């Protein structure tokens, strides 16, 4: 046996198949054995009942006609050797008077008086040759008055042969079932192993660095197809994370280069000999502000990493989302008024959800910050909390700003992605990434859609950013 065959025999699929085939063969043997025992028992019971009925008939004859009548009946039945029954009438002296047996069976009866014995057929029709083969019989012996003994039996050799053939058939069928089960199991398990080999081959390729490979699927919806689907989804996620990691360094360098360069120039300006003290202090203050901006970016990166690692799931609790919406509405209404924007809020009461209050507040604050930042003066910002028709709890922030092109809506939630029209505004490109991460750990859905449209014919299509979360189950009353 080659190494591949030996490896196949060690697979779980083959072992489970072999076990299933063995259990199937065993169950088949048990069922057939039950049929065998029932059939054999039925044949023997029929023979015993026939012997018992014949013996009762002979006892009735004895009561009417005595021993002569019984002897005459046996002689009539056994002349020519064609009797169905086996008879032997024995004189008190031990001499055989009539019957088709040469002597009484030399066996002990069972608890019910039944005898199971072997015999040879006596000569029939005036011949001198007897049957050379032993045959099986079953019968009974009764004691008659005056010391006479009467034996009545039946030949059950054909029944025994039939039962023996049944037993051989059962054994052969069980062996055949085991062989066919193993053969079918090998065929099925080979297909199973081939599909697993395909998944393992993809796993080895991915381990070697090829993140483009995907597990084969047959789209039948079975467990291996589901495994391949989940495996491919995991690889898509890994590939996206690896792609994000490869470009994170470039993005960080690109987004931090401007504040670092600005901070260096200001520090260099502060060190000039001809600068006065006030100019140096202003330069240092601006440098400190740039440092705070850099620290904010790095803190956002750390927060995003912790969220994506799921560290905040343990802080989930049952809460009222209306309290979060009301607090943020009170906070951002004066901010919008200072920016020349109208602010409106609509909050539905009585809702409950599982979540982290601080993270949810941070996500909504990021959405409101973006709305205030990108909506021109004279525009509008709205915060809404409601329960949707499908039972989800939805926060939404709507503005009348320039919006986000549909082609860029999936890209803006990635780290450090900033569209061209926002490069001149302060920010790190991490706000929507944080919102997406917070949505993910709450099993929510973050959507970016087109807003309410033009306002006074001047503003853009606007933007509607929504966060949808599952509602908490109602608390049971004690």
């Amino acid at each position: 046996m080659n190494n591949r065959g030996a490896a196949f025999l060690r697979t779980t699929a083959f072992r489970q198949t072999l076990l299933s085939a063995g259990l199937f063969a065993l169950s088949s043997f048990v069922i057939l054995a039950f049929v065998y025992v029932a059939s054999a028992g039925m044949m023997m019971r029929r023979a015993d009942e026939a012997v018992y009925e014949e013996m009762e008939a002979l006892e009735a004859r004895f009561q009417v006609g005595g021993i002569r009548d019984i002897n005459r009946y046996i002689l009539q039945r056994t002349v020519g050797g064609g009797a169905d029954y086996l008879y032997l009438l024995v004189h008190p002296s031990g001499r055989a008077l009539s019957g088709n047996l040469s002597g009484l069976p030399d066996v002990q009866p069972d608890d019910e008086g039944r005898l199971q014995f072997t015999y040879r057929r006596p000569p029939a029709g005036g011949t001198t040759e007897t049957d050379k083969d032993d045959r099986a019989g079953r019968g009974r012996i009764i004691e008659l008055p005056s010391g006479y003994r009467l034996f009545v039996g039946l030949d059950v050799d054909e029944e025994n042969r039939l039962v023996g053939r049944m037993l051989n058939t059962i054994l052969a069928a069980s062996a055949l079932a085991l062989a066919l089960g193993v053969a079918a199991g090998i065929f099925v398990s080979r297909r199973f192993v081939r599909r697993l080999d395909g998944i393992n081959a993809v796993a080895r390729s991915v381990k070697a660095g090829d993140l483009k490979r995907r597990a084969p699927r047959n789209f039948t919806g079975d467990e291996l197809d589901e495994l391949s689907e989940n495996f491919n989804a995991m690889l898509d996620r890994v590939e996206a994370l690896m792609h994000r990691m490869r470009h994170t360094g470039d993005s960080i360098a690109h987004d931090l280069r401007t504040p670092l360069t600005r901070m260096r120039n200001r520090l260099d300006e502060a060190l000039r000999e001809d600068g006065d003290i006030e100019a140096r202090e202003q330069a240092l203050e601006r440098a400190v502000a740039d440092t705070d901006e850099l620290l904010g970016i790095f803190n956002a990166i750390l927060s995003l990493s912790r969220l994506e690692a799921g560290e905040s799931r343990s802080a989930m609790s049952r809460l009222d989302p209306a309290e979060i919406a009301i607090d943020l509405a009170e906070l951002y209404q004066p901010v919008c008024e200072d920016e020349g924007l109208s602010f409106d809020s609509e909050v539905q009461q009585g809702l409950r959800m599982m979540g982290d209050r601080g993270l949810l507040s941070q996500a909504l604050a990021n959405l409101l910050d973006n709305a205030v930042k990108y909506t021109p003066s004279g525009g509008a910002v709205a915060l809404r909390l409601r329960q949707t028709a499908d039972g989800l709890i939805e926060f939404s922030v709507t503005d009348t700003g320039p919006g986000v092109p549909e082609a860029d809506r999936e890209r803006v939630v990635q780290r450090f992605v900033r569209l061209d029209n926002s490069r001149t505004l302060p920010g790190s490109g991490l706000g929507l990434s944080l919102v997406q991460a917070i949505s993910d750990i709450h099993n929510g859905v973050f959507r970016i859609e087109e807003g309410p449209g033009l306002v006074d014919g001047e503003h853009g299509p606007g933007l509607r950013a929504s966060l949808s979360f599952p509602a908490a189950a109602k608390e049971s009353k004690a």
Side-chain angles (χ1 to χ4, degrees):
M1 183 181 295
N2 55 26
N3 292 335
R4 185 174 180 83
F8 171 73
L9 295 180
R10 291 194 300 269
T11 60
T12 301
F14 176 76
R15 293 177 180 177
Q16 292 294 329
T17 299
L18 191 62
L19 177 60
S20 299
L23 292 176
F24 174 74
L26 178 61
S27 61
S28 300
F29 175 78
V30 170
I31 294 173
L32 294 175
F34 173 78
V35 174
Y36 163 77
V37 172
S39 300
M42 181 188 67
M43 292 179 185
M44 295 304 104
R45 284 193 299 273
R46 289 179 61 184
D48 292 337
E49 290 171 0
V51 169
Y52 185 76
E53 290 174 358
E54 182 68 9
M55 187 163 284
E56 284 187 333
L58 286 172
E59 287 180 334
R61 280 183 174 272
F62 178 79
Q63 296 295 332
V64 175
I67 198 69
R68 290 180 180 275
D69 194 11
I70 292 179
N71 188 45
R72 184 170 52 254
Y73 175 80
I74 292 175
L75 287 173
Q76 292 173 354
R77 296 293 303 270
T78 57
V79 170
D84 295 330
Y85 289 91
L86 300 173
Y87 300 99
L88 186 62
L89 179 61
V90 181
H91 191 269
S93 63
R95 179 172 52 89
L97 295 177
S98 60
N100 49 8
L101 288 179
S102 57
L104 292 174
D106 188 16
V107 294
Q108 293 296 323
D110 61 14
D111 295 338
E112 297 183 10
R114 296 174 298 194
L115 298 173
Q116 185 167 342
F117 61 96
T118 59
Y119 75 102
R120 290 187 180 180
R121 287 185 185 274
T127 63
T128 59
E129 294 186 359
T130 61
D131 193 337
K132 296 181 180 180
D133 294 330
D134 289 337
R135 301 180 65 84
R138 291 176 70 87
R140 289 174 179 268
I141 298 177
I142 60 173
E143 302 287 339
L144 298 175
S146 304
Y148 287 92
R149 302 174 71 191
L150 175 63
F151 172 83
V152 179
L154 265 180
D155 186 298
V156 293
D157 194 72
E158 292 300 327
E159 286 81 356
N160 281 358
R161 293 178 186 274
L162 177 59
V163 169
R165 287 193 292 270
M166 287 178 59
L167 179 59
N168 293 334
T169 302
I170 288 172
L171 294 176
S174 299
L176 182 61
L178 179 61
L180 292 177
V182 172
I186 291 175
F187 174 75
V188 173
S189 58
R190 279 191 179 275
R191 294 186 60 191
F192 185 84
V193 169
R194 279 198 297 269
R195 293 178 64 185
L196 282 180
D197 286 342
I199 298 175
N200 287 328
V202 173
R204 286 190 291 269
S205 298
V206 171
K207 184 172 66 174
D210 184 6
L211 296 179
K212 297 296 183 182
R213 290 286 302 276
R214 293 296 182 267
R217 296 186 58 192
N218 58 5
F219 298 96
T220 58
D222 60 11
E223 60 275 9
L224 284 183
D225 187 62
E226 185 179 359
L227 174 64
S228 296
E229 181 183 8
N230 293 331
F231 188 67
N232 291 340
M234 180 189 70
L235 291 178
D236 291 339
R237 176 67 172 168
V238 170
E239 185 180 12
L241 291 175
M242 293 297 295
H243 179 78
R244 184 182 302 173
M245 288 179 61
R246 290 169 182 168
H247 292 81
T248 295
D250 294 339
S251 300
I252 292 176
H254 186 274
D255 281 85
L256 298 186
R257 181 176 57 189
T258 299
L260 285 172
T261 302
R262 187 169 58 243
M263 182 172 61
R264 184 191 182 284
N265 292 336
R266 288 170 178 169
L267 291 174
D268 183 66
E269 180 182 353
L271 292 174
R272 292 178 183 175
E273 296 181 356
D274 54 350
D276 56 16
I277 294 177
E278 183 178 354
R280 289 182 178 182
E281 290 179 351
Q282 292 177 354
L284 290 174
E285 290 176 357
R286 289 192 294 268
V288 170
D290 293 335
T291 304
D292 291 337
E293 181 181 352
L294 291 174
L295 290 175
I297 293 175
F298 283 112
N299 288 333
I301 294 173
L302 292 174
S303 298
L304 185 57
S305 298
R306 285 194 295 267
L307 288 173
E308 291 179 342
E311 293 182 7
S312 299
R313 294 184 186 274
S314 59
M316 300 287 182
S317 62
R318 187 182 180 91
L319 54 84
D320 183 359
E323 296 177 357
I324 300 174
I326 292 173
D327 289 345
L328 289 172
E330 293 177 354
L331 178 64
Y332 277 88
Q333 183 170 5
V335 174
C336 289
E337 292 175 355
D338 292 342
E339 298 292 332
L341 305 173
S342 64
F343 181 82
D344 184 38
S345 64
E346 181 181 342
V347 179
Q348 181 178 344
Q349 300 286 342
L351 303 179
R352 293 294 183 273
M353 63 175 288
M354 297 298 296
D356 185 299
R357 182 185 180 92
L359 293 179
L360 292 173
S361 298
Q362 182 180 0
L364 286 177
N366 286 354
L367 295 179
L368 288 167
D369 280 338
N370 283 343
V372 173
K373 184 189 302 183
Y374 295 107
T375 303
S377 179
V381 175
L383 171 63
R384 186 182 186 189
L385 169 65
R386 68 185 182 105
Q387 187 166 25
T388 62
D390 51 2
L392 297 177
I393 294 177
E394 182 188 73
F395 293 95
S396 64
V397 175
T398 307
D399 64 62
T400 58
V404 175
E406 186 174 356
D408 295 326
R409 289 174 188 171
E410 292 185 3
R411 193 168 64 91
V412 292
V413 298
Q414 299 175 8
R415 291 187 182 188
F416 299 106
V417 172
R418 303 187 70 193
L419 303 182
D420 293 337
N421 59 358
S422 64
R423 287 287 177 182
T424 58
L425 297 175
S428 61
L430 293 172
L432 294 182
S433 299
L434 283 169
V435 174
Q436 181 66 65
I438 293 172
S439 173
D440 289 341
I441 69 168
H442 285 82
N443 297 320
V445 178
F446 178 36
R447 292 188 181 91
I448 298 177
E449 303 166 311
E450 190 169 299
L454 299 178
V455 177
D456 298 331
E458 297 178 0
H459 302 148
L463 188 71
R464 183 179 186 272
S466 64
L467 287 166
S468 301
F469 304 103
K474 294 182 178 180
E475 292 180 327
S476 58
K477 295 182 180 179

